[in-house]
Amino acid sequence: MAMGELRFLLAKRTGRVRPLAYIGAGAARYNLKTSPPQRTADVDPLGIAGIVPVGAGLQFVLGNSTALEILGGHTYSLADDLNGATTEKGNDVFWGLTVGLIFGNF
């Protein structure tokens, strides 16, 4: 699976610890030909699904142009059966935790 997103970011730009939140839209390209082994018959094994990411986190300012960012997010998929669950109907969701370094003064 490969995903791409555009996010609208709300952040406090003052202080050493900066809270932030985001919401966005994107797409996920999936290939279910080999994995998961079970899927419902009405699902196309190759496709693209819309996604909606939502999350929050903190930026810790390390220097004039460097910050550590920790984000927790929830991504709602506009498709079902991406996770291979054949017994439950409903669109799939993904949870994630991201830790990264930010360089630059934007």
Side-chain angles (χ1 to χ4, degrees):
M1 179 178 295
M3 296 190 293
E5 307 170 343
L6 291 175
R7 295 179 179 176
F8 177 69
L9 180 67
L10 298 168
K12 181 181 176 187
R13 298 296 293 170
T14 60
R16 307 274 308 156
V17 178
R18 301 173 176 174
L20 58 92
Y22 68 87
I23 187 168
R29 186 185 185 293
Y30 58 90
N31 180 350
L32 303 176
K33 284 187 174 183
T34 58
S35 176
Q38 285 187 341
R39 66 177 184 273
T40 56
D42 62 340
V43 175
D44 187 12
L46 293 172
I48 296 175
I51 56 174
V52 179
V54 178
L58 295 171
Q59 281 184 353
F60 300 92
V61 177
L62 303 175
N64 289 337
S65 61
T66 309
L68 174 69
E69 184 173 86
I70 301 173
L71 297 173
H74 171 92
T75 301
Y76 179 78
S77 168
L78 301 178
D80 189 14
D81 295 320
L82 299 182
N83 61 359
T86 58
T87 58
E88 294 182 22
K89 288 312 245 177
N91 292 352
D92 295 327
V93 298
F94 303 92
W95 292 92
L97 177 67
T98 304
V99 177
L101 287 174
I102 307 297
F103 298 102
N105 191 6
F106 303 100

